[in-house]
Amino acid sequence: MNARDEATTTPLHVQSGSEFHRVLHEAAITWNLNPKVSDRSWVAELDIASDIRLADYFCRQEGLEPTGERSTPPVPTVISHSDPTAVVRDLAADRVDLGATGYKTTGAISESLAIEDQSVSHPVATAGSAFVVSPPIIDSGVTSLRAEELRDIYAGKITNWKEVGGPDREIRVIAGPDANPPRWLMDTFFNGVPEAGVDERRGREATRVNRIESRNDAVGEVPVGFAVYDTPVLDISVDGTRFSVNETGYPATVDLACYSWGEPNPQERAFVSYLQSPAGQRYVDRYRDFLPLNWQADS
């Protein structure tokens, strides 16, 4: 039997090498507090009738003994931060229990380290970017663009909306600060091509969205969680298949996951179940960089 499978009060160690670290940190604070589910209206969300404590509830589902005590979860959890490569090394060496590597998959990192990838993915959120456009552009019928068209707009090769089926109007590309779009998006979606088509930059996401919505000719990129609330977001087509921003396959987004090395043990399953539940997803939804699991436009 693996030592990690034995009943223990040794803290569950979750190591993050990603932007998701702050979500894990806040979720773990509540887990370790082990409040009653009624304290924050989780009773209805978790569909339970009893007033059990939060960590107790998820641990009991995995056959672990509840403590019934505040600030004493059955499985105390520690969150640490490191770079994605170190996360995979520590997972493979059994130095940590769960790991998050952000935009980089454990498979790609394992290959670079010549380590046999034994990771198991447990999705917890969606991250990335969405493309917001001025409402008159949507009204004109431009509700979707091909990925190649968006790349050409940002590269300055397409400069008028009529070239993509819209009105005869110059395209205004509104981007964030110099480090925006994020490096992950530049390297993957934009293939590292310089943003020669950017017309202006706005630092704050809310300012960027307001600027785009106030015009009749603009497009811009914002974090995916920031874009989905009452904002005109473009669908993107890839190889003839159209994806909305909350669908798997939207090419400017990526699934974020916590990984176990091999199938998770009961302690790991309990914490992952918490992260994936409405109780844990509250912390995902708090940050506009991310979309919660099962996000719906009418939620």
Side-chain angles (χ1 to χ4, degrees), residues 170-228:
E170 294 294 315
I171 299 174
R172 186 78 173 175
V173 179
I174 299 175
D178 289 342
N180 183 279
R183 175 50 51 191
W184 169 82
L185 189 65
M186 289 300 300
D187 290 343
T188 56
F189 183 78
F190 287 110
N191 300 323
V193 176
E195 307 163 81
V198 171
D199 297 293
E200 63 180 274
R201 293 186 178 276
R202 302 277 171 163
R204 294 177 61 86
E205 289 87 352
T207 303
R208 205 179 318 157
V209 170
N210 289 338
R211 177 70 169 162
I212 293 168
E213 291 186 331
S214 69
R215 297 182 62 94
N216 66 358
D217 58 359
V219 62
E221 169 273 331
V222 294
V224 62
F226 205 95
V228 297

Side-chain angles (χ1 to χ4, degrees), residues 16-95:
S16 172
S18 74
E19 301 79 357
F20 202 65
H21 176 77
R22 55 186 176 175
V23 174
L24 292 171
H25 176 71
E26 291 192 10
I29 289 175
T30 301
W31 171 274
N32 288 330
L33 183 62
N34 200 21
K36 290 184 177 180
V37 294
S38 60
D39 289 354
R40 303 187 187 183
S41 304
W42 283 313
V43 174
E45 290 182 357
L46 298 176
D47 193 25
I48 57 178
S50 66
D51 201 15
I52 192 171
R53 293 186 177 276
L54 186 71
D56 285 354
Y57 169 75
F58 290 100
C59 287
R60 189 175 65 180
Q61 304 303 308
E62 301 300 333
L64 303 172
E65 188 68 25
T67 68
E69 297 181 17
R70 179 180 173 85
S71 300
T72 309
V75 182
T77 300
V78 173
I79 309 293
S80 65
H81 189 275
S82 191
D83 65 86
T85 300
V87 170
V88 173
R89 282 201 189 101
D90 287 345
L91 277 171
D94 203 23
R95 288 190 288 265

Side-chain angles (χ1 to χ4, degrees), residues 150-158 190 193-198:
L150 276 167
R151 295 185 188 111
D152 285 346
I153 288 172
Y154 271 75
K157 296 179 181 179
I158 293 177
F190 287 110
V193 176
E195 307 163 81
V198 171

